[in-house]
Amino acid sequence: MARTVADQFSQILAAAGVKRIYGIVGDSLNGITDAIRRQGKIEWVHVRHEEVAAFAAGAEAHLTGEIAVCAGSCGPGNLHLINGLFDCHRSRVPVLAIAAQIPSAEIGSGYFQETHPQDLFRECSYYCELISGANQMPRVLQVAIREAVGRRGVAVVVIPGDVALQATADASPPKVASLLPSRPVVVPERQDLDRLAAMLNGEGKITILCGSGCAGAHDELLALGERLKSPMVHALRGKEYVEWDNPFDVGMTGLIGFSSGYYAMLDCDVLLMLGTDFPYRQFYPQGSDVRIAQVDIRAENIGRRAPVDLGVVGDVKATLTALLPLLKQQWDGSHLSQAREHYAKTRKALDDLAIGTPGKGLIHPQQIAKAINDQATADAVFTCDVGLPMVWAARYLAMNGKRRLVGSFWHGSMANAMPQAIGAQAAFPGRQVISLSGDGGFTMLMGDFLSLVQLGLPVKVVVFNNGALGFIELEQKSTGFLPFGTEFKNPNFAAMAEAAGARGIRIKDPGEVEVGIAAALNHNGPVLIDAVVNRTELAMPPAVTPEMAKGFTLYMVKAVMSGRGDELIDLARTNLWR
């Protein structure tokens, strides 16, 4: 029987299926953490930074589909959660955050470490409430869990340390059925299906854009592609659900996408958007000649990025199941064939960039990414930092229906990859987990590399060590700016890992890549791969606009005039003479 609010709190979490809590203990949180300890059903995952705790919980929720929990003590403790929680909320994964608060009698007095989490976290949550007394428990916590699970996002419970230690007002055990609502299946109205079928049964070339809402609908997508003879383009968040064993996939679109995906979307008469809120409007077909239909379970997404001729509210799998019998079999596969040929050429060109020459002493980051893809297990979990690691992940990691890919794909935060790998490995201790980290992202939260050793998590952390904020440099150059504020003076990360008690492998020559990656992946424990890669590698978007070309020209002029012409020589050696 629960004796205190903290006991009741931990009892409800266990009933909701919570298996672990990521966080850092502290005085205002001690009542809850001690209740967790005494209960013995939930693992406390001790990280070094609360932002890491939120990212880790988000990764667990993404991979399992179940609610995950992070926690921070009062004031600056829980405030550190906020960036990771923004990522969780924008990624629409069910996460509960426990934000401990200062003593209830001191709230509003400017007390030591006082903040107001119920206000601070409101923008990155569906539900955020303060528990001010034992009589609010268990109701507030139960509502928070239902909100996180039912709406697929973040819920925050703020609880003062003294309230957690109060005697419980209601000791009745929680009812599990009331905590975890099932996800609804939303099927569109028949009239909407008829209108969509009429659009797709008409004349013209059809291209399909797929996003993360296509999860679980792989068979239906293949049936749709076969029926319409249409190429499928995927957004980055749709990669792990769409591209594998898919003869209709022609690559990704967007700033880091493939030219084949970009042109397949531009060269169509009808664009069918399935479960995607792809944000970059400049990559959508332009002009009134292209008709757009959008299917999404969230009505607020319809028409948000491009003007649509038809919006259909429904989840993708259920919608396609109901739609397929209404579609005519198309026989003209010329649009698909052209897009597939373009994709094959694009894929070969990208693979050619991943070939290194032993002894040259210049490693292309593409070679590292491809070697990881080739040697990773069939059910590996990959995480990637924003910037160039995300580019290499998008272009070189092949999904197969078992592999998973996690990143800060919507919030776009630095330093997400290693923290998310912690959550992935904690949730799946038997699977291979690989973090593709930039040197900027890795060093931002580098302290939690120690957590891998302390927790015994065999994560393989690949650091693309180019000595710079590489993607920012590319942005600066493309808009005519000289690189500024982007350079790093990095240590030998492999030696640092060894000092921390992990395996460190430093790769400095293309001839070392395959052997170094193999040694890392075969090691039974955490590994840091310090991949010293070329700094001036260009990660060009699928189409170069006149503005970008102008920016690069302006950069070259500025570089010469400022005495930095050696940068141009390095750029040419790397990207033109290959």
Side-chain angles (χ1 to χ4, degrees):
M1 178 179 294
R3 296 171 297 169
T4 66
V5 168
D7 291 327
Q8 190 177 47
F9 204 103
S10 61
Q11 185 183 58
I12 293 171
L13 292 181
V18 173
K19 297 177 178 62
R20 57 193 63 83
I21 301 174
Y22 304 88
I24 298 178
V25 298
D27 54 357
S28 56
L29 196 58
N30 285 343
I32 289 179
T33 54
D34 189 64
I36 295 293
R37 178 191 65 79
R38 287 184 284 102
Q39 182 195 58
K41 296 180 179 180
I42 299 173
E43 178 187 4
W44 179 265
V45 182
H46 175 200
V47 296
R48 304 298 178 105
H49 195 293
E50 289 90 352
E51 183 177 351
V52 171
F55 274 124
E60 178 181 327
H62 175 93
L63 295 169
T64 65
E66 300 172 356
I67 190 167
V69 182
C70 58
S73 59
C74 62
N78 62 58
L79 194 59
H80 285 156
L81 295 169
I82 198 165
N83 186 56
L85 290 181
F86 260 101
D87 183 81
C88 295
H89 197 55
R90 301 195 73 189
S91 299
R92 298 188 183 277
V93 293
V95 169
L96 172 71
I98 304 169
Q101 178 61 300
I102 63 172
S104 56
E106 302 294 347
I107 295 175
S109 69
Y111 192 69
F112 176 67
Q113 294 189 325
E114 181 175 5
T115 61
H116 293 88
Q118 63 269 33
D119 297 324
L120 292 168
F121 290 101
R122 201 164 299 282
E123 190 176 347
C124 63
S125 65
Y126 285 126
Y127 184 82
C128 183
E129 291 295 340
L130 169 69
I131 296 176
S132 56
N135 58 352
Q136 285 182 271
M137 275 287 291
R139 191 175 185 186
V140 167
L141 179 57
Q142 292 177 341
V143 171
I145 292 171
R146 282 193 293 270
E147 289 276 337
V149 173
R151 301 179 69 180
R152 314 302 292 179
V154 172
V156 182
V157 171
V158 184
I159 180 167
D162 60 304
V163 173
L165 297 176
Q166 290 178 2
T168 179
D170 180 4
S172 59
K175 294 184 178 180
V176 179
S178 69
L179 289 176
L180 304 174
S182 300
R183 299 190 70 174
V185 175
V186 179
V187 182
E189 294 275 2
R190 177 57 191 254
Q191 61 184 12
D192 288 335
L193 291 170
D194 289 339
R195 292 164 62 196
L196 180 56
M199 180 182 290
L200 299 176
N201 286 332
E203 300 293 328
K205 296 178 288 188
I206 302 172
T207 294
I208 304 168
L209 174 62
C210 303
S212 60
C214 292
H218 193 262
D219 291 343
E220 290 75 16
L221 286 176
L222 296 187
L224 179 68
E226 177 60 35
R227 188 70 55 88
L228 299 178
K229 293 293 189 291
S230 297
M232 293 183 191
V233 181
H234 63 264
L236 179 54
R237 292 187 68 213
K239 177 180 172 69
E240 62 175 333
Y241 309 116
V242 175
E243 74 172 10
W244 51 280
D245 291 342
N246 187 343
F248 309 100
D249 184 67
V250 296
M252 194 175 79
T253 188
L255 291 169
I256 62 176
F258 296 14
S259 58
S260 54
Y262 173 74
Y263 287 111
M265 277 184 60
L266 292 190
D267 184 27
C268 70
D269 301 301
V270 176
L271 176 66
L272 174 60
M273 300 170 58
L274 297 176
T276 180
D277 191 30
F278 177 70
Y280 301 106
R281 291 184 292 169
Q282 64 268 37
F283 288 91
Y284 284 94
Q286 305 298 317
S288 57
D289 294 337
V290 178
R291 293 173 295 158
I292 301 177
Q294 183 175 4
V295 177
D296 204 290
I297 197 170
R298 296 179 177 86
E300 67 270 20
N301 288 351
I302 304 291
R304 179 152 64 174
R305 308 303 176 186
V308 301
D309 297 273
L310 176 61
V312 176
V313 178
D315 64 66
V316 172
K317 182 180 177 68
T319 300
L320 294 185
T321 299
L323 176 67
L324 282 165
L326 307 179
L327 297 178
K328 297 177 182 178
Q329 177 65 57
Q330 303 296 323
W331 300 107
D332 183 1
S334 57
H335 178 46
L336 174 62
S337 296
Q338 183 181 36
R340 289 290 299 174
E341 289 175 8
H342 192 185
Y343 174 60
K345 293 177 182 178
T346 303
R347 181 70 265 168
K348 183 180 184 303
L350 289 173
D351 289 341
D352 288 344
L353 294 175
I355 299 174
T357 303
K360 187 176 180 180
L362 186 68
I363 300 177
H364 299 298
Q366 296 97 319
Q367 184 186 2
I368 297 290
K370 189 174 187 305
I372 292 167
N373 174 72
D374 293 345
Q375 298 190 37
T377 59
D379 65 345
V381 179
F382 302 97
T383 65
C384 61
D385 273 338
V386 298
L388 292 178
M390 186 181 290
V391 177
W392 312 138
R395 295 180 179 178
Y396 293 96
L397 297 182
M399 299 292 104
N400 59 9
K402 297 178 181 178
R403 287 179 169 182
R404 303 299 304 273
L405 178 63
V406 185
S408 185
F409 298 143
W410 198 259
H411 188 47
S413 174
M414 285 184 66
N416 62 284
M418 186 178 66
Q420 289 175 330
I422 290 174
Q425 194 73 85
F428 296 98
R431 291 175 70 170
Q432 190 179 74
V433 177
I434 304 170
S435 167
L436 305 186
S437 300
D439 49 2
F442 175 70
T443 53
M444 184 176 283
L445 289 172
M446 189 166 60
D448 263 281
F449 184 78
L450 302 175
S451 298
L452 300 180
V453 179
Q454 180 168 331
L455 297 170
L457 300 175
V459 173
K460 317 308 179 193
V461 179
V462 183
V463 178
F464 289 86
N465 184 358
N466 62 2
L469 292 168
F471 202 77
I472 302 300
E473 280 195 342
L474 180 62
E475 289 177 341
Q476 290 175 340
K477 291 173 183 178
S478 69
T479 49
F481 293 104
L482 289 174
F484 178 78
T486 58
E487 187 169 1
F488 291 126
K489 186 177 181 180
N490 286 329
N492 182 324
F493 290 119
M496 186 196 73
E498 293 283 347
R503 176 80 184 276
I505 298 175
R506 188 170 172 88
I507 303 176
K508 299 180 66 175
D509 185 273
E512 302 169 349
V513 171
E514 297 293 333
V515 173
I517 297 296
L521 298 184
N522 290 326
H523 180 68
N524 185 23
V527 182
L528 189 149
I529 303 170
D530 185 359
V532 183
V533 298
N534 177 40
R535 178 174 177 174
T536 53
E537 196 78 31
L538 285 178
M540 300 302 292
V544 178
T545 66
E547 291 77 14
M548 292 180 66
K550 177 182 176 182
F552 268 102
T553 302
L554 184 59
Y555 155 70
M556 291 180 182
V557 172
K558 289 181 177 179
V560 171
M561 293 182 66
S562 65
R564 293 165 64 172
D566 57 325
E567 293 182 5
L568 303 183
I569 296 173
D570 289 341
L571 197 66
R573 284 175 176 163
T574 300
N575 299 284
L576 299 180
W577 303 337
R578 296 181 60 175

